[in-house]
Amino acid sequence: MNDWQELAAVCRTCNCSVQYAEPLRNHTTFRIGGACGAFVNINTEETLRRILGLCRDRNYPYLVLGNGSNILAADSGYAGVILHLGKDFSRIQQDGDTLYCEAGATLGRISRYALEQSLTGMECLAGIPGTVGGALYMNAGAYGGEMADIVVSARCMSPDGMITEVPKAEMELGYRKSVFRQDGRIILGVTLRLQKGSYGEIKAEMDSLLGKRRAKQPLELPSAGSTFQRPVGNYASFLIDQCGLKGASVGDAQVSKKHAGFVVNTGKATCHDVLELCDYVKQTVLEKTGYQLELEPVVIGDPGKPAEQPGS
C-alpha cells in the first residue's frame, strides 16, 4: 500500500469521503490556496480518532478545517491531511436553554435554530461565516459580543485520541485567542447557554445586525473577514482609512473600498498578493500612526514556497 491507499482504506471503513490533491481555494472564504495532500470529511468522533491514529503512526502532518472563514492558504497548498469538520459533523441538540453543537455546525445555522426556539444570545454571531468549533478556537465576536459570553464547555479530542470535557474556566479566552490555539486539542463540540427571550425581539436584533453587516462590509467579494486584529486603543479599519489605503492593491488583492478593515479577492488573488499587500499596509500604518497591526487570519501551508505549475 502507498500512503494514501492506507488513508483510503480507513475512510472506506468509516464511510467518510476523501479527496486527493484537493484545491484549498474551494474550501476557504478567501477562495485562495493550492492543493492539499488529502481532504477528509470527518463524520464521527471515531472516524477522527482513527485518522488521527494513522497520521500519528505514519507521521503525516494534519490540520483541522471548518468553514475556512478565517484562513489564508498558501499558493503551494498543504502537503498533509486536512480534517474537515463540516456538515457531516454538525448536529445540534437542545436541553432547555442549553445547546450542544458539533464543531462543524455553522454559526448561521445555530443562530437560526436559536431564533426558532426563542433563545437569545446568538444575535451578534449570526453573520459570522464560520463554524462553532472555529469560532471558539479564536473566540470570535462581533458587535460587542463574543463566544466567551455564551460558552459553557467544549468536548475535545487530544492528538492521541483521548476525549475530555473542557470547562470555560480552562479555555483562557481572550481577544481572538483560546487555549486551543496552543495545545493541539481538537474541538469536537461546544455547549452554549442561551436565555429564553422574545422571538420578535430576537429576530429584530438579528435582522438589524445582519443589515449593518451587509451595509458596511464587502460581503459581495471573497475575503477572510477582518484582516487585522484590533490594536489596543484603536481600530484597524480607522487607522488604515486614515492612512489613505482604501483601494490599495497588489494583483487582485485589494484593501476594500467599502471597509478598510477587509482585504478582498477581486478576481484571482494569490496568497502572495495578499501577504505583500498586508505587509505594505502594516508598514504604512506603523510609519504614519505608530500602531503595529497584526494579521487575524491563520496562514496555513508555506507561503514562501512557490505555487506548483499545472503539470509539474
Side-chain angles (χ1 to χ4, degrees):
M1 283 187 168
N2 64 30
D3 292 348
W4 299 139
Q5 283 179 328
E6 288 186 87
L7 178 62
V10 173
C11 290
R12 281 195 300 272
T13 301
C14 295
N15 196 30
C16 67
S17 64
V18 58
Q19 294 88 37
Y20 307 101
E22 175 68 10
L24 290 173
R25 69 179 66 89
N26 295 339
H27 302 280
T28 64
T29 58
F30 228 147
R31 298 294 179 258
I32 290 173
C36 61
F39 188 94
V40 181
N41 289 292
I42 302 297
N43 55 355
T44 68
E45 292 180 357
E46 182 58 25
T47 294
L48 180 60
R49 180 184 285 110
R50 293 189 64 174
I51 293 176
L52 283 175
L54 177 64
C55 290
R56 183 175 64 249
D57 293 344
R58 297 291 180 262
N59 200 29
Y60 299 156
Y62 64 86
L63 284 173
V64 176
L65 185 70
N67 204 43
S69 60
N70 193 48
I71 296 293
L72 177 58
D75 300 318
S76 57
Y78 179 72
V81 180
I82 296 293
L83 306 173
H84 180 229
L85 301 182
K87 65 180 181 179
D88 293 335
F89 202 88
S90 62
R91 291 177 301 169
I92 300 172
Q93 297 173 310
Q94 182 181 0
D95 182 9
D97 60 1
T98 300
L99 301 181
Y100 176 76
C101 310
E102 286 188 323
T106 64
L107 295 178
R109 180 165 163 254
I110 298 170
S111 298
R112 290 190 295 272
Y113 184 96
L115 172 62
E116 291 167 1
Q117 304 301 317
S118 297
L119 294 173
T120 183
M122 286 293 300
E123 293 89 331
C124 65
L125 301 169
I128 297 176
T131 60
V132 70
L136 181 58
Y137 178 84
M138 65 172 293
N139 190 25
Y143 298 111
E146 59 185 9
M147 284 293 295
D149 299 331
I150 57 174
V151 66
V152 175
S153 62
R155 183 175 170 86
C156 299
M157 184 180 291
S158 62
D160 63 4
M162 295 294 292
I163 292 178
T164 56
E165 193 76 17
V166 181
K168 174 183 175 180
E170 296 177 11
M171 294 181 184
E172 300 178 18
L173 298 172
Y175 177 70
R176 302 300 176 263
K177 67 179 182 179
S178 74
V179 70
F180 307 111
R181 300 192 74 156
Q182 289 86 41
D183 68 10
R185 284 178 291 182
I186 297 171
I187 299 168
L188 302 174
V190 181
T191 298
L192 306 174
R193 180 166 294 130
L194 306 178
Q195 297 179 5
K196 198 65 179 177
S198 159
Y199 177 93
E201 291 177 3
I202 296 168
K203 187 175 188 305
E205 177 68 6
M206 198 173 289
D207 288 346
S208 173
L209 294 179
L210 289 172
K212 288 180 181 180
R213 187 180 291 272
R214 286 191 293 268
K216 296 181 179 181
Q217 298 180 6
L219 304 184
E220 68 281 2
L221 291 171
S223 77
S226 296
T227 308
F228 299 97
Q229 296 183 24
R230 185 178 68 232
V232 176
N234 216 311
Y235 291 91
S237 59
F238 174 80
L239 295 169
I240 295 167
D241 194 6
Q242 185 182 39
C243 292
L245 293 171
K246 269 189 177 179
S249 63
V250 172
D252 281 346
Q254 181 188 76
V255 176
S256 171
K257 296 178 181 179
K258 190 174 184 179
H259 191 304
F262 287 67
V263 169
V264 296
N265 180 357
T266 63
K268 296 182 178 180
T270 65
C271 177
H272 182 271
D273 292 338
V274 172
L275 291 177
E276 185 175 334
L277 177 59
C278 288
D279 284 345
Y280 171 68
V281 169
K282 289 165 66 176
Q283 180 181 350
T284 303
V285 169
L286 180 61
E287 291 174 352
K288 291 189 175 183
T289 72
Y291 281 92
Q292 178 71 60
L293 297 182
E294 299 293 339
L295 278 181
E296 185 164 307
V298 177
V299 180
I300 64 174
D302 182 358
K305 184 178 178 182
E308 290 188 5
Q309 298 302 311
S312 62

